[in-house]
Amino acid sequence: MTPENCTVGVIGFGIMGASMARNIAKGGCRVLGASRSPEKVTALAPEGIVPSSLAEIAAQCRVVLLSVTNGASVEDVLFGPEGIARTIAPGSLIIDTTTIAPDEARALCERCEARGLKMVDAPVTGGDVGARNGTLTIMCGGSSDSFKEALPILQLIGKRILHIGGPGMGQAMKAVNQVGIGLGIVAMTESLLLAESQGIDSAVALEILQSGSAGSWAFSNYAPRLLAGDLQPGFGAVHMLKDLKIALAIAKSEGRALPGLETTTTLFEQLIEARQGVGNHALIEAYRR
Amino acid sequence: MTPENCTVGVIGFGIMGASMARNIAKGGCRVLGASRSPEKVTALAPEGIVPSSLAEIAAQCRVVLLSVTNGASVEDVLFGPEGIARTIAPGSLIIDTTTIAPDEARALCERCEARGLKMVDAPVTGGDVGARNGTLTIMCGGSSDSFKEALPILQLIGKRILHIGGPGMGQAMKAVNQVGIGLGIVAMTESLLLAESQGIDSAVALEILQSGSAGSWAFSNYAPRLLAGDLQPGFGAVHMLKDLKIALAIAKSEGRALPGLETTTTLFEQLIEARQGVGNHALIEAYRR
């Protein structure tokens, strides 16, 4: 299979899914799109994306990429009343870019295989900008054969595409990455708060913090937005909390105590209680309740 | 005052102090050195550093730079039985690069001023490499006049030299920076542990972690050493713990709850209990007890 002769179904047209669909279409595939908000697909019709139902995607596609909300949404799209896994031709490939728990991904992969389908868990990182530019990092779990088959499509949406291991291992790595992001935001937040408490100019503090051993992507990218008063999500705090809870559940199931992760998860819970609709970089609001 | 006609006393010849003394000598100053381990000064005699007593430094220098262990050591060097502040000429300048608590720095500055001396708190960041290359970042607290007078000397040892505010404010900023470093190490450690628990290859995990939104100085610089099994200090875990305790005391005195900092401090306490003589990047050992 090459992109040129392929019809790809894309299900889920949030910020990430919409950009992926556009890049797959740009790459030469025919793209059928389905969303619970069909107007989001219709808006992309000028770019060649065909508004479709789940049934139409199951009937016409042999490759389907999902970018939905959570494990329950993935299960519904695949195995719900109109689930595509019920009718799509055996041998078809499901690529799930949604961030879900590794054990959910493994269970769904088994159910797909029981119907003769292949499945790759392929959560991404790189945010809205990476999705738009097709430069995402994609962490893949699944059999080598499934991964190889997914690769030409994944190369249309991402730049760094790594096969981490068997089913669920893409999600396992994604959970690890979210731990790094979440705890990095706590590091940024508490440093800036301690500066503020002591009357240090935030811009001076940030200059020092990002230039040395404390430096991080969070200081360089999130902190300037925060100091400018921009709390709008690049990545929503509510998604961050979902991902941290997945990571914490993994740690607990492995008997691994991660106190930093526990503290971070509690702080994001407090953020969600304090403020809705903000980005994950707005964690400082949890301390200001 | 210019470096060319200046005699500078340097007290403390640890990794940092020795490098600073060499760079001040290279910059054209006559340097008198004192250490509780006099052989460390003698070793630098070929580079023009004159082994001296505290009394000799007090008698001959109008600028003295300290790089000692903690607040008690600074107090002893200045006001102990042989303390230089007892005999040095009024108008002399004390530059303290030791990391101590902001309130300790303020109290010492007041006592210096009561004897007609100037004092600048000037803790540094940039590690052994920055000290050797004279590229340290230096965070300064003190009056504008004292800062201006210290600047020509500080420019011999550092590259980014910032006047944060009045007495103690250099230490205040240093505490903030150490919070960023300490919490960044927790982010690195728990991400790598969660990867390991799930059987993900550490090198693959690190490649993903450092390339995206989780990226940090810690991932890029500490993690490779850690994965290579090198736990030797660049910056000792015991110093990290001292600094985190200073930061935590500040937060408490400001009525500011910083749960990430509390968790991080506890983890470094556990590291020190588990392992001695390791670097701050070896925090993972606290989880392996």
Side-chain angles (χ1 to χ4, degrees), chain B residues 8-20:
Chain B
V8 177
V10 175
I11 301 172
F13 278 72
I15 294 175
M16 303 299 284
S19 288
M20 292 184 207

Side-chain angles (χ1 to χ4, degrees), chain A residues 1 10 15 21 40 53 60 73 79 135 142 146 162 164 168 185 194 197 205 209 224-225 232 249 261-262 264:
Chain A
M1 187 192 65
V10 174
I15 294 174
K40 291 188 180 171
S53 66
Q60 295 182 46
S73 338
F79 298 103
T135 56
S146 302
L162 290 144
I164 310 296
I185 291 172
L194 191 65
S197 293
L209 285 160
R225 282 193 232 171
Q232 288 304 305
L261 175 57
E262 283 175 41
T264 300

